[in-house]
Amino acid sequence: MNKKPIILGIESSCDETAASIITENEQGIPIILSSVVSSQVEVHEDFGGVVPELAARSHIEKIDWIVQRAIDDSGKKIEDIDAVASTAGPGLIVCLSVGLSFGKSLASSLNIPFISVNHLEGHALSPKLNSKLSYPYLLLLISGGHTQFLAVNGIGSYKRLGTTIDDALGEAFDKTAKLLGIKFPGGPQIEILAEKGNPNRFQLPKPIFNKGGCNLSFAGLKTAILKISKDIKNEQDKFDIAASFQKTIEDILKKKTEIAFDEFKKIKTVENKIFVVAGGVAANKKIRSMLTKLCHKNNYKHIFPPIDLCGDNAAMIAMVGLEKFKIKQFSNLDYPAKPRWPLDENAAFLKGAGVQL
Ligand code: KG4
Ligand code: ZN
């Protein structure tokens, strides 16, 4: 019996400090032995967004005991670890540097390989944890910083089919929440308020709904909600805004996912069509159920990571580490933090004014 690799993953790209130990079972399925996530919600909630300097300080204060706890919880000893994988980007450079330096130092002191990981690749591979999932698949990544459709062909091999040209979807949820007086990050609260509201009361814009392929845009929604939120008189008004916003997002995602299905078909002829939805917003139950129905209609198998693996965590970083370890794709100890690190390096930059779609 071959010894299965034991990988330590470390995540500190934004406002979660996380560490995790994973391995593989006899069937080759990645298994989480421990996953510790410490969120900084209280540190940032009064500021309406993540404050980089405060986030970095908090990572520094917590990183060593979080890694220690992940090792303790896993039932393994530090000497059992075969490689350390840390997020190297994209993210806030002051935050990335904490987990990256810690991971490099630990790997170096244990004399084991160090592996740098793209945070987005972590989200992309998160559904592989505890299950059997093979390439290729179509991925919708919806997080606080990114919103993209990608064809995932293998580790390190991505083709971007569509992207947001302005705000990320999680950002749009958080901005709407802020206008309704909900503290950061308010995305999950919008979903709860929406249940009590009338989704047809406000007609919100659907930017680039009928053009731009499966590219997306959400900035116009914020402007529209800013206008109507000035007339909020009671709680029901807030519920109706939340419900109208949630419904508009579902309409946009439905249409754009149908286009992404078509585009994926053009570049990949696969028998088993698989659609994976990952990132923090993939925790939204109504989005999940709408996309599930769409998959049934289009003969796609749908895969959502469990709710606790949708948001930022280190098990997904260890997951990428495990795949890279198996193909010996190690990193040197001078590997830099990369604030910008797209999965598809060949895709055009599509953000800002004057973007041609
Ligand atoms: O993937 P993630 O944890 O962090 C990033 O890499 O960005 O995503 C966080 C984002 C936040 O914007 C948060 O408000 C949003 O995901 N989010 C949700 C829900 N849960 C988290 N948005 C809508 N509905 C939810 N249930
Ligand atoms: Zn993330």
Side-chain angles (χ1 to χ4, degrees):
M1 189 177 69
N2 281 341
K3 180 191 176 291
K4 295 291 184 183
I6 295 171
I7 310 291
L8 166 66
I10 299 175
E11 158 64 31
S12 70
S13 64
C14 191
D15 57 344
E16 258 96 24
T17 322
S20 166
I21 304 272
I22 72 163
T23 188
E24 257 184 0
N25 69 11
E26 285 310 310
Q27 289 73 44
I29 294 176
I31 301 294
I32 302 173
L33 299 178
S34 66
S35 177
V36 184
V37 182
S38 172
S39 167
Q40 304 176 359
V41 167
E42 319 86 66
V43 179
H44 306 289
E45 62 183 4
D46 290 335
F47 299 95
V50 176
V51 185
E53 172 66 23
L54 296 181
R57 265 196 232 179
S58 178
H59 287 308
I60 292 166
E61 281 163 16
K62 291 178 187 168
I63 189 94
D64 43 6
W65 70 260
I66 286 185
V67 170
Q68 186 63 58
R69 234 189 84 193
I71 298 169
D72 293 346
D73 289 0
S74 72
K76 301 287 176 191
K77 294 195 282 299
I78 196 163
E79 311 81 68
D80 297 331
I81 299 170
D82 293 299
V84 182
S86 289
T87 304
L92 300 165
I93 193 156
V94 283
C95 295
L96 289 165
S97 303
V98 178
L100 193 60
S101 302
F102 194 94
K104 286 175 182 173
S105 318
L106 188 58
S108 161
S109 68
L110 294 171
N111 204 16
I112 55 175
F114 171 73
I115 300 168
S116 59
V117 174
N118 182 318
H119 176 88
L120 304 176
E121 189 155 42
H123 280 299
L125 268 57
S126 58
K128 293 191 133 202
L129 289 157
N130 298 335
S131 69
K132 214 168 174 68
L133 168 64
S134 44
Y135 302 114
Y137 51 85
L138 174 65
L139 169 72
L140 169 60
L141 174 62
I142 35 179
S143 71
H146 297 86
T147 300
Q148 298 184 347
F149 287 101
L150 293 145
V152 183
N153 300 316
I155 186 94
S157 176
Y158 298 87
K159 170 136 183 66
R160 195 189 74 197
L161 305 178
T163 181
T164 176
I165 59 165
D166 40 55
D167 290 352
L169 184 52
E171 201 179 346
F173 267 94
D174 295 339
K175 284 178 176 173
T176 300
K178 197 174 171 190
L179 291 170
L180 299 185
I182 303 164
K183 281 187 174 175
F184 175 83
Q189 279 300 314
I190 291 288
E191 184 182 8
I192 295 166
L193 298 194
E195 280 169 23
K196 302 183 209 161
N198 171 5
N200 301 315
R201 174 154 166 215
F202 299 105
Q203 298 310 308
L204 299 173
K206 295 175 191 159
I208 65 166
F209 195 68
N210 291 313
K211 62 172 187 176
C214 60
N215 289 305
L216 307 114
S217 166
F218 302 107
L221 272 105
K222 188 191 82 176
T223 319
I225 289 170
L226 177 66
K227 254 191 213 155
I228 50 178
S229 63
K230 292 197 171 118
D231 295 326
I232 292 176
K233 297 199 174 50
N234 51 43
E235 288 299 287
Q236 191 58 47
D237 288 341
K238 288 189 186 178
F239 300 156
D240 292 347
I241 293 175
S244 303
F245 173 80
Q246 168 85 36
K247 163 90 174 31
T248 307
I249 295 300
E250 285 169 37
D251 291 348
I252 295 172
L253 285 184
K254 181 165 182 275
K255 170 88 183 259
K256 295 294 179 176
T257 303
E258 277 170 338
I259 299 171
F261 284 166
D262 279 347
E263 298 203 359
F264 188 58
K265 199 163 65 188
K266 278 187 219 149
I267 58 162
K268 285 267 154 225
T269 35
V270 278
E271 256 174 51
N272 299 323
K273 296 187 287 184
I274 301 171
F275 182 50
V276 170
V277 189
V281 189
N284 188 290
K285 293 186 199 65
K286 288 201 75 188
I287 291 177
R288 280 180 177 238
S289 94
M290 179 277 294
L291 291 173
T292 302
K293 279 188 209 136
L294 198 65
C295 283
H296 287 156
K297 200 176 134 207
N298 288 274
N299 261 330
Y300 265 83
K301 181 176 175 199
H302 62 274
I303 297 182
F304 297 95
I307 302 276
D308 57 336
L309 293 180
C310 284
D312 288 347
N313 65 85
M316 67 184 196
I317 304 306
M319 178 64 235
V320 179
L322 177 65
E323 292 217 353
K324 287 192 170 181
F325 182 80
K326 290 205 243 171
I327 54 171
K328 294 196 166 42
Q329 209 178 95
F330 306 141
S331 309
N332 292 333
L333 293 179
D334 60 355
Y335 197 93
K338 295 164 131 184
R340 185 174 176 275
W341 187 3
L343 279 178
D344 178 356
E345 306 257 9
N346 297 319
F349 188 67
L350 276 191
K351 268 195 172 179
V355 162
Q356 297 291 316
L357 291 171

